[in-house]
Amino acid sequence: MNEKGYTLVELLVVMIILSIVVAGLTTVFVSGSNAEAQLNNRFQAQLQARTALDKLRLDIHCASAAQAQTVNTYPSVKLAVGNCYAATPTITWCAVQVLASPPRYQLYRTTGTTNICQSGDASRLLIADYLTSSSVFTTATIPQYSLQTVGVSLTVSTNQKSKTAEVYKLSDSIVARASTRCATSGGCAAPLVP
């Protein structure tokens, strides 16, 4: 009786080839999974930035005055919105630094009056993440016959290693519709928010 089978060398060669194929397939699947996770993070960050700009637009349109300032070391804008929200005379938006290197910021909206934008602020609400700059808000001298405007610039990137790759930027100049029109020929200073 002559039984032929595979030699040990043939089995080892097949196992090595199979291992190489499986390792290649695993690498492809892991790379695809990582790419999908990165794409999802970028999409979520961009969606949060668009939502933040929409919410900012609503609050600023409602404001009778806006003041860019620093609250508890956080760059922020304070809005007087008592004419729209009776229970809330002011709303503060602030960019809070969560990482020092590379810098990463989160955008919060709060109606609080104590511990504004800090972790102890119970009314603090995270609106956007992965901001690359704290320079989000600007207010300038109001031109004659104009209403106050607030400049908003949201720069978002989930790739913290690169300052130029995968950067998503939203900018707008939003008018505080309930503000008082400036009547001075040299322009008016931004009113102080109570």
Side-chain angles (χ1 to χ4, degrees):
M1 197 161 165
N2 189 5
E3 291 186 17
K4 287 199 165 188
Y6 295 108
T7 65
L8 183 59
V9 172
E10 291 171 331
L11 284 173
L12 287 176
V13 168
V14 169
M15 292 295 285
I16 290 172
I17 292 172
L18 182 63
S19 298
I20 292 171
V21 170
V22 168
L25 288 173
T26 302
T27 302
V28 168
F29 286 130
V30 168
S31 296
S33 178
N34 288 341
E36 180 184 10
Q38 290 171 359
L39 180 64
N40 189 36
N41 284 342
R42 278 196 311 272
F43 175 75
Q44 290 299 323
Q46 292 172 5
L47 183 63
Q48 287 176 358
R50 285 192 301 269
T51 302
L53 187 59
D54 288 343
K55 289 181 180 189
L56 270 163
R57 192 175 288 124
L58 286 173
D59 285 349
I60 294 170
H61 282 320
C62 181
S64 60
Q67 180 181 6
Q69 59 187 7
T70 301
V71 175
N72 296 324
T73 71
Y74 304 126
S76 61
V77 67
K78 189 175 182 181
L79 306 170
V81 292
N83 55 338
C84 291
Y85 310 114
T88 308
T90 61
I91 293 175
T92 304
W93 286 78
C94 43
V96 176
Q97 187 170 8
V98 292
L99 285 178
S101 181
R104 177 176 156 203
Y105 301 87
Q106 295 176 329
L107 185 64
Y108 286 92
R109 179 185 188 268
T110 181
T111 57
T113 55
T114 58
N115 295 326
I116 297 175
C117 293
Q118 295 179 338
S119 58
D121 183 356
S123 67
R124 181 176 93 155
L125 180 66
L126 176 64
I127 303 296
D129 198 356
Y130 293 102
L131 297 175
T132 60
S133 172
S134 65
S135 301
V136 177
F137 310 106
T138 55
T139 56
T141 302
I142 306 163
Q144 184 179 19
Y145 307 122
S146 295
L147 297 174
Q148 184 177 12
T149 60
V150 177
V152 178
S153 178
L154 301 174
T155 306
V156 177
S157 177
T158 57
N159 183 356
Q160 298 296 319
K161 295 176 186 170
S162 173
K163 292 289 184 192
T164 57
E166 302 168 6
V167 172
Y168 182 73
K169 185 171 185 174
L170 291 172
S171 297
D172 200 357
S173 183
I174 305 168
V175 176
R177 292 181 182 167
S179 64
T180 305
R181 203 169 283 281
C182 176
T184 307
S185 62
C188 300
L192 296 177
V193 178

